[in-house]
Amino acid sequence: MSNLKIKILVIVVIILVCVYGIIGLPKSTAELVDNWNHSIHLGLDLRGGSQLVLQVQIQDAFKAEADAVIQRLKEFMTKGSVQYTEMNRNDPASLQAADSIQIDVKGVPGTQAGNFRQIVTDNFGGVWNLTPVNQTDYRLTMKTSEALKLRQDTLVQSMNTIEKKINALGLAESSVQQRGRSDAEAELLVQLPGVDDPARIKQILKTAAMLELYEVVAGPFNSREEAISSKGGVLPLNSQVLLSQARGGQPAGAYIVARTPVVTGRDLRNASAAQGEGNRWETNFVLSQDAARRFEAFTGANIGKNLAIVLDKLVLSAPTIQSKISDTGRITGATNYQEASDLALNLRAGSLPASVEYLEERTVGPSLGADSIKAGVAAGVAGVIAVVFVMLVYYKKSGINATLALVLNAVILLAALSYFGAVLTLPGIAGVILTIGMAVDSNVLIFERIREELRTGKAIVAAVDAGFSKAFLTIVDTHVTTVVSCAFLFLFGTGPVKGFAVTLVIGLIANVFTAVFVSKTIFDWELGGRKQVTALSI
């Protein structure tokens, strides 16, 4: 009886924890409903919302990689006094042809060919293959393994960046996943429950928000042509022309800035929206420790000069460096809080490694989700009523035991969904209904085993103990195989399939507890209260 009291206490504590996880401690009916709505997160098919299909333009990542190699190769060849007449890359037009990227280096003198090969081998040999075209021209092609790695890395980084941007908006039930199993397709499925106007989301996703701070060589100018002509038609070494963004009625201009930025968006530690002078909204950013040291040294050595704040290759402003700056900065010009906040969000999330193209956009109305919930709840209630009726008729009073275990199973399942923040989808409801069947199946196995033991002439208490102990291994075996199957569904399935797998696994784990531990405790409580057990209603 002492063990029985401990078991009952454990069951009561678990029930209280589950109820608290589902509805909390409501002080009114309205608060109870509100807690319920916040505890159970509904997916796109139940709540309504938007669904976007994006295609990552992986060829952009290959082009950027090749451009970076060309820039570095030029620097190495200049330092090594190796001459060339022309260096450029091809332009893959589609993501399927992205790994056909190649770099052509022309006009390398035969006397310097050895030095050129040595530079390529030492600095780029791990990624690029060098092939001679003729005596003076060479071609660099990316290795197959490295091209495959770049494809995968670009896709994964795009998914992570998009997910960070969406989660920063507070859309906790959203999901970002690969559509299809081939990286060559590079398609991503973005589901946004509760979002009926995805225009702002699309704007945030397509904004690269690549922040760079450059030393200003000259400017501003009215146009790119004027900037180049100011230097006699030839730009200074290691410099480039960037256009400025038109603001406040002022036309767009141009600046000549250094080729290499002082710091970039990768050096950011944090970014946030704030109000500055005149209550104007701006975006403040904080640099990492290493970047702060570099930025402090640069600003300290360039007081009185201009520094260009560049976002997505457009100069936002070029303020004068008035004193040494260490780890903070600000971007002005936002018209409202949302614009400043969205820019800070993009800066924190980082830039996409490649641009994205929208292939499909769908909006699901909440009424369709409400109909699905009604249909799912109706199916579940009908199933429970049918199961309870059969159990009570066939197993008589012991059917009440199975019914209580079934109800507790549902409570534990809902509480687990709430605590884990899992999203309930329409296939998830199907998983809940299937769990009801699995729960009843476990009780049937136990009850039939008890009946077999009673037919052999065993005493009732001994028959109950033997029935539970012998059925336990069978129950665990069936549940483990199903959980393993669900694990594969979760690893390789899409969002709805994962929702089904999650609810089914939680229900199965809860079922082992309710069908074995709780049901056995109820039998022990009933039989332990009798002085002499002569019959068992089963």
Side-chain angles (χ1 to χ4, degrees):
M1 291 301 295
S2 60
N3 289 337
L4 181 60
K5 290 179 181 179
I6 295 175
K7 290 181 179 180
I8 293 175
L9 179 62
V10 170
I11 294 172
V12 171
V13 169
I14 290 177
I15 292 174
L16 292 177
V17 171
C18 290
V19 172
Y20 177 78
I22 298 173
I23 61 174
L25 297 174
K27 297 179 181 179
S28 62
T29 305
E31 188 175 347
L32 186 148
V33 174
D34 186 63
N35 289 348
W36 169 269
N37 292 333
H38 283 85
S39 298
I40 306 301
H41 304 292
L42 301 180
L44 180 67
D45 51 358
L46 297 179
R47 185 180 174 185
S50 298
Q51 175 177 294
L52 303 172
V53 177
L54 295 74
Q55 188 176 62
V56 182
Q57 303 301 297
I58 292 183
Q59 67 269 25
D60 291 348
F62 279 82
K63 294 175 186 177
E65 179 70 16
D67 289 338
V69 170
I70 290 174
Q71 184 64 31
R72 292 177 58 201
L73 184 55
K74 287 180 178 179
E75 293 176 359
F76 285 127
M77 292 180 71
T78 300
K79 290 180 181 178
S81 301
V82 178
Q83 300 176 3
Y84 65 94
T85 58
E86 185 180 351
M87 189 184 304
N88 51 45
R89 61 163 172 81
N90 64 337
D91 188 14
S94 64
L95 58 91
Q96 286 78 14
D99 48 9
S100 65
I101 192 76
Q102 61 189 36
I103 300 173
D104 291 323
V105 183
K106 299 180 180 180
V108 179
T111 55
Q112 296 181 324
N115 294 337
F116 171 70
R117 290 194 188 96
Q118 191 66 42
I119 290 175
V120 174
T121 302
D122 292 345
N123 299 283
F124 310 101
V127 180
W128 297 81
N129 290 321
L130 180 64
T131 306
V133 178
N134 52 47
Q135 293 183 349
T136 60
D137 299 345
Y138 296 86
R139 176 167 294 166
L140 281 77
T141 54
M142 186 174 288
K143 294 181 178 179
T144 303
S145 59
E146 294 298 326
L148 179 60
K149 182 177 182 297
L150 181 57
R151 276 183 177 273
Q152 295 172 341
D153 290 348
T154 301
L155 196 57
V156 171
Q157 186 180 345
S158 297
M159 290 175 61
N160 293 338
T161 302
I162 291 173
E163 194 168 20
K164 283 193 291 184
K165 290 185 177 185
I166 291 176
N167 290 342
L169 292 171
L171 305 177
E173 298 86 16
S174 62
S175 66
V176 181
Q177 56 197 338
Q178 186 175 352
R179 190 190 194 196
R181 303 313 310 168
S182 174
D183 290 339
E185 298 173 2
E187 294 182 5
L188 302 179
L189 176 65
V190 181
Q191 293 185 325
L192 308 167
V195 177
D196 54 4
D197 181 13
R200 183 190 173 202
I201 306 296
K202 291 172 66 176
Q203 179 63 36
I204 289 175
L205 293 184
K206 76 177 183 180
T207 302
M210 185 187 301
L211 178 68
E212 296 167 311
L213 305 183
Y214 287 95
E215 177 187 359
V216 175
V217 177
F221 302 96
N222 293 324
S223 64
R224 178 188 296 272
E225 292 73 18
E226 182 181 331
I228 297 175
S229 62
S230 69
K231 298 298 180 179
V234 179
L235 290 176
L237 188 65
N238 294 327
S239 67
Q240 61 180 329
V241 177
L242 294 180
L243 299 178
S244 62
Q245 188 177 46
R247 287 191 171 193
Q250 296 294 325
Y255 287 85
I256 299 178
V257 300
R259 174 72 63 177
T260 305
V262 181
V263 295
T264 67
R266 299 183 183 89
D267 298 315
L268 291 185
R269 191 174 64 193
N270 193 19
S272 60
Q275 282 185 302
E277 299 176 0
N279 292 328
R280 295 187 180 92
W281 285 104
E282 59 187 32
T283 303
N284 295 334
F285 60 87
V286 182
L287 300 175
S288 64
Q289 190 173 12
D290 178 64
R293 285 196 295 267
R294 288 187 280 114
F295 194 50
E296 184 175 18
F298 172 81
T299 54
N302 291 273
I303 294 177
K305 297 182 180 180
N306 292 88
L307 179 72
I309 300 176
V310 179
L311 186 69
D312 296 339
K313 297 302 179 182
L314 281 177
V315 179
L316 298 183
S317 61
T320 303
I321 302 173
Q322 298 179 349
S323 61
K324 184 184 295 185
I325 307 172
S326 58
D327 62 347
T328 60
R330 59 178 181 165
I331 302 173
T332 60
T335 56
N336 51 47
Y337 167 76
Q338 181 171 309
E339 185 178 337
S341 178
D342 287 350
L343 175 56
L345 183 156
N346 278 305
L347 291 176
R348 289 195 304 270
S351 59
L352 290 169
S355 61
V356 295
E357 179 181 336
Y358 292 94
L359 302 181
E360 182 182 312
E361 177 183 330
R362 291 183 183 180
T363 300
V364 180
S367 59
L368 181 62
D371 293 340
S372 300
I373 294 174
K374 290 179 182 178
V377 171
V381 171
V384 169
I385 292 175
V387 166
V388 170
F389 176 76
V390 171
M391 295 296 287
L392 292 176
V393 171
Y394 194 69
Y395 292 111
K396 301 180 176 60
K397 191 176 179 180
S398 294
I400 300 176
N401 187 333
T403 302
L404 292 176
L406 184 63
V407 172
L408 181 56
N409 192 328
V411 172
I412 294 175
L413 174 57
L414 292 176
L417 291 176
S418 175
Y419 278 116
F420 295 151
V423 179
L424 183 62
T425 60
L426 190 58
I429 294 179
V432 174
I433 296 174
L434 180 58
T435 300
I436 295 174
M438 295 288 290
V440 172
D441 179 64
S442 299
N443 283 282
V444 169
L445 285 173
I446 294 171
F447 291 170
E448 290 302 317
R449 177 64 71 175
I450 293 175
R451 279 182 165 184
E452 291 178 5
E453 297 297 329
L454 289 174
R455 291 191 190 104
T456 62
K458 283 189 177 181
I460 291 177
V461 174
V464 171
D465 286 337
F468 273 94
S469 60
K470 291 181 178 180
F472 177 73
L473 292 179
T474 304
I475 293 173
V476 171
D477 180 59
T478 57
H479 282 57
V480 167
T481 54
T482 309
V483 168
V484 171
S485 302
C486 290
F488 283 103
L489 289 177
F490 186 84
L491 288 174
F492 301 107
T494 56
V497 176
K498 288 183 178 181
F500 173 81
V502 167
T503 54
L504 186 56
V505 167
I506 295 174
L508 291 173
I509 295 174
N511 184 48
V512 173
F513 171 74
T514 57
V516 178
F517 185 84
V518 176
S519 185
K520 180 67 164 56
T521 302
I522 294 175
F523 271 112
D524 290 344
W525 176 73
E526 181 182 359
L527 299 177
R530 302 182 189 179
K531 293 183 179 180
Q532 185 176 1
V533 183
T534 57
L536 182 65
S537 177
I538 195 170

